[in-house]
Amino acid sequence: MASIRRTLSPAFHGRSTQNGAAVFSSSPSNKLLHKHFPSSTSSTLLNLVYRRGWRRSFRRCLFFFLIGLLFGITPFGQMDADIRPKDFSSPDLRPPHVHLQSDDPIVSYVALGVNTQLEQHNEVTDSIEPLKQLIVVTPTYNRGFQVYFLNRLGQVLRLVKPPLVWIVVEEKTVSLETARILRKTGVMYRHVVSTRNSSDVKDRGVHQRNAALEHIERHKLDGIVFFADDDNVYTPELFESLRTISRFGTWPVAMLEQNKNKAIVEGPVCNASRVIGWHTNEKSKRLRRFHVDMSGFAFNSTILWDPKRWGRPFSNPIRQLDTVKEGFQETTFIEQVVEDESQMEGLPPGCSKVMNWHLHLDIGNVVYPKGWLLEKNLEVTLPIK
């Protein structure tokens, strides 16, 4: 294999001829190279360095380094050297303060109107009181018009603002038919049973109302108690006016006589809300102390279970009596609740408006079919031709 070796140029060798032999100059750099490398290797490295012109490159690098250093230390502007912690605090994002002038008619009027409305709203909110609860007691029993009476009364009670609880009392046992009617009315109710035998009492509702009174007294229900028989007709206005009663309230009731030949009004005669007399047309009942129908009065339920609040001298339970004659149930019961007319409130003011009617629409001892379903078809009265 051939090898090529380039001879050194005489221009790059600082040699002299002594005795016909060529030798290198004795410079310090040459001595250092002769010390560490052989003569052939040293000559090769020196040749490479001198050929690349390292001195020129070094001078250029030094020149540009000095120029860069000069630009780096030369100030071209002013810098605030006073750096304090407040310079790094978060900026104030609050809106600028606006000075409202009191002499501005538009601003003054708006501020006054807003304050007045707020004050009126607070007064209305403070004056709102929760409505009194109405406790409507209805005795019922198995008869032909029972479903009609209960549905009619239930639809009226749906129109009354809550709170209202409807206590429906049956005899001996709870019937599924009555329970189904009560569920469909959408009125909050309690289905109560009277276990006492009412066959020997002409007014079978006496024991049923007493069962409701015992329920109210046992559970200490707070509200206005009203005996609403299912065969009467009532206006929603009557139930709303009951909430104005403090202790005992009464009002006139229009009714048909038993023979349905004449309509009469029975109830209080009032001067504003003060009871000063009574309406009555029945001679046999003139011996009564208070001439009022069973659905013509209402009272505060706390009289039943908190006698000390009303200053009652005795704490005997207030109940309807089953030993008195017919027509005297109302007056004997009211005598246990109030002492005289001074403790009564006439409704509405002046007692000049009839708000319920007693029509006597019973049809005897006709009972409804079980489940309101007929097992057999009725007899045909008019055949189809």
Side-chain angles (χ1 to χ4, degrees):
M1 183 175 183
S3 62
I4 300 173
R5 183 177 181 181
R6 180 176 297 178
T7 60
L8 297 174
S9 174
F12 293 94
H13 291 274
R15 63 185 179 179
S16 62
T17 304
Q18 295 179 359
N19 297 329
V23 294
F24 290 101
S25 65
S26 60
S27 64
S29 60
N30 292 336
K31 292 179 181 182
L32 182 62
L33 292 173
H34 281 289
K35 184 178 178 180
H36 293 282
F37 302 97
S39 60
S40 61
T41 307
S42 299
S43 61
T44 304
L45 292 175
L46 287 173
N47 185 24
L48 181 62
V49 170
Y50 285 124
R51 290 181 59 187
R52 294 189 176 180
W54 65 274
R55 293 177 183 273
R56 184 182 301 170
S57 300
F58 177 75
R59 285 194 298 268
R60 291 177 179 177
C61 290
L62 182 61
F63 175 74
F64 286 113
F65 173 75
L66 294 176
I67 292 177
L69 182 62
L70 181 63
F71 277 102
I73 64 177
T74 302
F76 291 97
Q78 295 182 356
M79 181 176 64
D80 188 6
D82 186 12
I83 300 176
R84 300 179 181 177
K86 66 178 182 179
D87 297 333
F88 300 98
S89 60
S90 60
D92 190 2
L93 301 179
R94 292 177 297 177
H97 181 69
V98 179
H99 297 280
L100 296 179
Q101 300 296 331
S102 59
D103 56 352
D104 189 348
I106 299 179
V107 175
S108 302
Y109 175 78
V110 172
L112 181 60
V114 172
N115 293 336
T116 304
Q117 291 178 358
L118 291 177
E119 292 177 358
Q120 292 177 353
H121 176 72
N122 294 334
E123 292 177 358
V124 172
T125 304
D126 296 338
S127 63
I128 295 177
E129 297 181 359
L131 296 177
K132 292 182 180 179
Q133 178 175 240
L134 300 183
I135 307 172
V136 182
V137 176
T138 301
T140 187
Y141 59 94
N142 181 347
R143 63 193 190 279
F145 279 0
Q146 182 186 19
V147 63
Y148 166 70
F149 289 151
L150 289 178
N151 275 308
R152 183 180 62 182
L153 179 55
Q155 295 303 317
V156 175
L157 296 180
R158 287 186 63 178
L159 304 176
V160 182
K161 297 179 181 179
L164 182 147
V165 58
W166 188 16
I167 301 179
V168 180
V169 188
E170 285 194 288
E171 292 179 320
K172 299 180 181 179
T173 184
V174 172
S175 65
L176 297 178
E177 292 79 9
T178 302
R180 188 179 299 111
I181 295 172
L182 297 179
R183 286 194 299 267
K184 291 181 178 180
T185 59
V187 180
M188 186 174 66
Y189 70 92
R190 297 190 180 186
H191 204 168
V192 181
V193 176
S194 174
T195 57
R196 296 194 60 178
N197 186 14
S198 301
S199 59
D200 56 343
V201 181
K202 190 169 184 179
D203 185 2
R204 62 175 66 195
V206 171
H207 295 320
Q208 292 173 283
R209 298 187 191 97
N210 287 339
L213 295 175
E214 293 174 3
H215 182 85
I216 296 171
E217 184 176 350
R218 185 187 314 115
H219 297 282
K220 295 184 178 181
L221 300 182
D222 190 5
I224 304 299
V225 182
F226 173 47
F227 296 125
D229 292 345
D230 57 0
D231 58 342
N232 292 357
V233 180
Y234 308 92
T235 62
E237 182 182 358
L238 169 63
F239 294 95
E240 296 298 341
S241 63
L242 296 181
R243 292 193 165 100
T244 63
I245 296 175
S246 175
R247 175 170 182 165
F248 183 94
T250 181
W251 55 90
V253 179
M255 61 182 66
L256 289 176
E257 289 187 341
Q258 293 291 344
N259 55 14
K260 299 180 178 57
N261 293 330
K262 184 173 62 173
I264 60 176
V265 175
E266 189 174 59
V269 179
C270 303
N271 182 8
S273 61
R274 186 169 62 90
V275 178
I276 60 176
W278 301 94
H279 290 290
T280 182
N281 291 330
E282 300 183 35
K283 296 180 181 180
S284 60
K285 295 182 179 180
R286 290 181 180 177
L287 299 177
R288 294 187 301 171
R289 175 68 180 83
F290 303 109
H291 302 269
V292 62
D293 187 71
M294 186 63 69
S295 62
F297 66 91
F299 60 95
N300 197 309
S301 65
T302 57
I303 297 176
L304 300 175
W305 47 269
D306 191 8
K308 294 182 180 180
R309 175 180 175 181
W310 303 100
R312 289 176 53 203
F314 50 88
S315 59
N316 296 332
I318 299 177
R319 299 292 185 269
Q320 292 190 3
L321 306 179
D322 57 357
T323 57
V324 297
K325 297 180 180 181
E326 181 183 5
F328 286 83
Q329 294 289 344
E330 297 86 352
T331 183
T332 54
F333 178 81
I334 296 174
E335 289 171 4
Q336 303 175 62
V337 179
V338 296
E339 297 178 359
D340 52 31
E341 287 82 357
S342 64
Q343 298 178 346
M344 297 183 180
E345 307 163 37
L347 301 177
C351 300
S352 58
K353 189 174 183 180
V354 174
M355 296 181 288
N356 64 316
W357 297 263
H358 193 176
L359 302 180
H360 299 288
L361 297 179
D362 290 339
I363 55 176
N365 295 325
V366 178
V367 298
Y368 63 85
K370 184 177 181 180
W372 291 99
L373 297 176
L374 299 176
E375 297 180 356
K376 298 180 179 180
N377 293 332
L378 299 177
E379 295 181 1
V380 176
T381 57
L382 184 63
I384 300 176
K385 297 183 179 179

